[in-house]
Amino acid sequence: MQGLNPFHRGQGPGGRPAPVRPAPARPAPAAPRTPRKDPAPSRLAYRLNRMMLRPLVRRLVHVGLPAFLAALVAGIWLSDDTRRANLTGGIDAIVDRIQHRDEFMVRMMTIEGASPAVDKGLRAMLPVDLPASSFDIDLEKLRERVLKLDAVEAVDLRIKPGGVLSAVVTERVPALLWRHARGIELLDKTGHRVASVTGREVRGDLPIIAGEGADRAAAEALALIDAAGPILPRLRGLERMGERRWDVVLDRGQRIKLPEEKALQALERAIALDRALHMLDRDLSVVDLRQEARPVVRLGMEAQNAIRRARGQPELGPDGLPLPPEATAGKAAKTAKKSG
């Protein structure tokens, strides 16, 4: 057999050795695969995420919890009395140094438009003695106190540069004298009290009103006084009757009774009658205009006695009662003696 096969095992043609073919390698064993992580969150993480989406929870976590921790630390630190006293003293010292700097000091006070009495009262109302810090002067409270003065209508308070407290005062202008059971007082045009006076002669240039409640109708009283131009020299004042209407008081004891409503028109009618008929020059004691359709006049005592003498009736005395015949005869004899 070897002779028939010209090739020998392991030899190629021509006696060359045959090529060696490598045997295929066995595949390496596969490494164990790592299991993939489940991307879904746990139940607890899911619930926490859902809670954090709520605005209230987020505020509590981001704001409330830090604030609570800060307050807790501050409370623990301030629980010691010594540390608390040192902190308070340090803050007070800083505030005091700032408030008493030169640019915040008020050194003087100027008052404009005030009478000497109001000037003195306003200076006495300052809560501190000058010089003082502007932080120690509450301008609003000081303004409220100043406005409580009867003579002050308005006041402008301000602190000007240079440490000057400026007060510009507007005083009430007296327009009337009001006589009542407690004395005499000055009133402005609105009826507000200005001051008290000891007597009528203190302000003889002002008209006078009398009666309870007259101050509440001061504006109407001024209108009546303005309308009484022709009889103004004879005007003695206005009297409030029953806190509802006015009586115009003239010299010689004459009185004009005005109605509750349309008092100004009634006074103008009385002045018109006086111009036409010289009514107020006659011996009249009362002109009653309370009823517009029916004015009434009351004669004076002399006019009544003249009428009674003409009728042969006894004369009336000052009390309104008839005099006895002998008194009337003696008076008639004196009159005849003087005339003779």
Side-chain angles (χ1 to χ4, degrees):
M1 296 298 293
Q2 293 180 355
L4 295 175
N5 188 4
F7 301 99
H8 295 281
R9 183 175 301 215
Q11 295 181 354
R16 293 180 294 179
V20 180
R21 297 178 178 178
R26 293 181 179 180
R33 298 178 63 182
T34 303
R36 294 180 62 185
K37 187 176 180 181
D38 188 1
S42 65
R43 184 173 298 178
L44 178 60
Y46 174 77
R47 291 184 176 178
L48 290 177
N49 289 334
R50 294 295 296 177
M51 288 179 61
M52 287 300 297
L53 292 177
R54 298 179 180 178
L56 178 60
V57 176
R58 296 183 67 177
R59 290 193 186 96
L60 288 176
V61 173
H62 295 153
V63 180
L65 185 59
F68 173 74
L69 293 177
L72 180 62
V73 173
I76 294 174
W77 190 84
L78 292 174
S79 61
D80 185 71
D81 294 339
T82 303
R83 288 196 293 263
R84 190 166 57 250
N86 292 337
L87 177 63
T88 305
I91 294 174
D92 293 341
I94 294 173
V95 172
D96 186 71
R97 283 198 300 270
I98 294 175
Q99 291 183 351
H100 287 81
R101 296 182 63 175
D102 290 340
E103 53 266 31
F104 297 134
M105 295 297 292
V106 178
R107 305 187 182 281
M108 62 179 298
M109 181 179 186
T110 60
I111 302 177
E112 300 177 12
S115 61
V118 175
D119 185 294
K120 183 178 179 181
L122 201 154
R123 294 182 186 276
M125 288 182 177
L126 278 177
V128 293
D129 295 331
L130 299 181
S133 173
S134 59
F135 291 94
D136 297 333
I137 303 175
D138 191 338
L139 295 182
E140 189 60 33
K141 289 185 178 179
L142 181 59
R143 182 180 294 106
E144 293 177 359
R145 294 181 61 187
V146 173
L147 290 177
K148 291 181 180 179
L149 295 175
D150 292 328
V152 177
E153 182 178 2
V155 60
D156 181 21
L157 296 172
R158 62 182 64 189
I159 298 177
K160 294 183 177 180
V164 178
L165 175 59
S166 173
V168 180
V169 179
T170 303
E171 293 194 14
R172 300 183 184 276
V173 179
L176 291 168
L177 283 170
W178 175 36
R179 186 192 298 274
H180 53 87
R182 298 173 296 278
I184 302 177
E185 295 181 354
L186 290 171
L187 304 179
D188 67 354
K189 60 182 180 180
T190 64
H192 194 284
R193 180 183 180 275
V194 177
S196 297
V197 294
T198 56
R200 175 74 174 86
E201 64 279 357
V202 175
R203 291 299 303 268
D205 57 318
L206 297 179
I208 187 169
I209 59 177
E212 294 298 327
D215 57 328
R216 294 190 292 271
E220 185 182 13
L222 288 174
L224 292 173
I225 293 171
D226 291 339
I231 61 173
L232 195 59
R234 297 187 54 196
L235 181 66
R236 292 295 175 265
L238 302 178
E239 185 176 0
R240 193 69 172 171
M241 308 301 294
E243 300 187 20
R244 55 187 177 84
R245 66 172 194 85
W246 291 103
D247 274 5
V248 179
V249 181
L250 305 176
D251 58 359
R252 303 202 307 268
Q254 289 183 334
R255 185 179 291 258
I256 303 175
K257 295 181 178 293
L258 301 178
E260 298 181 30
E261 299 180 357
K262 299 180 179 181
L264 184 60
Q265 292 82 346
L267 180 60
E268 291 175 348
R269 288 198 304 271
I271 295 175
L273 289 173
D274 180 61
R275 285 180 175 179
L277 305 175
H278 301 285
M279 177 181 64
L280 298 178
D281 293 336
R282 304 173 185 274
D283 188 14
L284 302 177
S285 61
V286 176
V287 178
D288 192 345
L289 302 177
R290 288 177 291 179
Q291 295 184 9
E292 181 179 358
R294 188 182 178 185
V296 178
V297 296
R298 182 187 302 170
L299 298 177
M301 188 60 64
E302 292 296 331
Q304 293 184 41
N305 287 333
I307 294 174
R308 294 178 70 88
R309 284 196 301 269
R311 295 177 178 177
Q313 298 176 348
E315 297 182 9
L316 299 177
D319 55 357
L321 298 176
L323 295 174
E326 55 273 12
T328 304
K331 184 177 180 181
K334 290 181 181 179
T335 304
K337 185 178 180 180
K338 288 182 181 180
S339 59

